[in-house]
Amino acid sequence: AKIESGKVEISPQTIDCRSVLEEVVQSMRPMAEQKGITLEADVPATGCLVTADRRALGQILINLVHNAIKFTDSGGVRIGLTPPDHDLPWSVAVVDTGPGIDPGDQGRIFGAFERSSNGERESAEGTGLWLYISHKLAELMGMCIAVDSRPGHGSVFRIGPG
């Protein structure tokens, strides 16, 4: 409701994206361990300064990692940070070995209360708001979230500058 009414305040500042990723992995690792899957981080050794609202970026990544863990029954989840390189911007990818998302659903999963029609995903609990909230927070920061997925081959959710 706060997002829709314009009452969410975004305070962009220069942050080291690595520390945000490390915090997300630390907070989400127990959930992955409880499911018996791995949660790995691929974070560069050098800093990756980005302009973002730290709280909002952290919430987006928690939402994406939470969904990835929730829908992954075997294998694991990897969160990777790609720092800017020449003309290419930074990005964060959340990669899972879950059931994947049907191409027909990929355009609508960022809508409020939308869920994939993939049978395995329908049986999971949830309201269908995590991706919607993440998408809206990303928009408020001038970023975008994209998905690349195929049924049976897992999913990659990538966030970066819009």
Side-chain angles (χ1 to χ4, degrees):
K2 283 184 178 182
I3 290 174
E4 289 299 321
S5 66
K7 293 183 180 177
V8 171
E9 291 189 28
I10 298 296
S11 301
Q13 55 188 322
T14 301
I15 60 173
D16 187 345
C17 199
R18 294 177 313 157
S19 64
V20 176
L21 265 66
E22 290 165 355
E23 290 170 12
V24 168
V25 169
Q26 183 178 10
S27 70
M28 299 303 295
R29 184 164 274 129
M31 182 182 178
E33 289 173 350
Q34 186 175 7
K35 281 197 73 178
I37 63 173
T38 61
L39 174 58
E40 299 174 353
D42 182 12
V43 181
T46 59
C48 181
L49 299 179
V50 303
T51 301
D53 181 295
R54 183 180 185 85
R55 181 188 52 80
L57 181 59
Q59 186 62 59
I60 292 167
L61 294 175
I62 285 172
N63 293 353
L64 294 176
V65 171
H66 180 274
N67 266 7
I69 292 170
K70 179 172 146 182
F71 293 114
T72 300
D73 292 327
S74 64
V77 175
R78 183 177 53 82
I79 182 169
L81 170 61
T82 304
D85 184 30
H86 303 290
D87 292 332
L88 299 175
W90 66 275
S91 67
V92 176
V94 176
V95 182
D96 68 54
T97 57
I101 302 168
D102 187 87
D105 289 339
Q106 291 177 28
R108 65 179 188 80
I109 59 172
F110 293 103
F113 306 106
E114 292 288 344
R115 296 167 51 117
S116 171
S117 63
N118 181 325
E120 293 178 49
R121 289 184 178 260
E122 282 181 345
S123 64
E125 293 182 20
T127 60
L129 284 175
W130 288 114
L131 291 177
Y132 172 75
I133 291 169
S134 297
H135 174 73
K136 289 298 185 182
L137 287 172
E139 279 185 341
L140 287 172
M141 291 190 293
M143 298 178 188
C144 64
I145 301 175
V147 61
D148 181 20
S149 183
R150 289 184 314 158
H153 295 279
S155 300
V156 178
F157 284 83
R158 189 174 309 278
I159 181 170

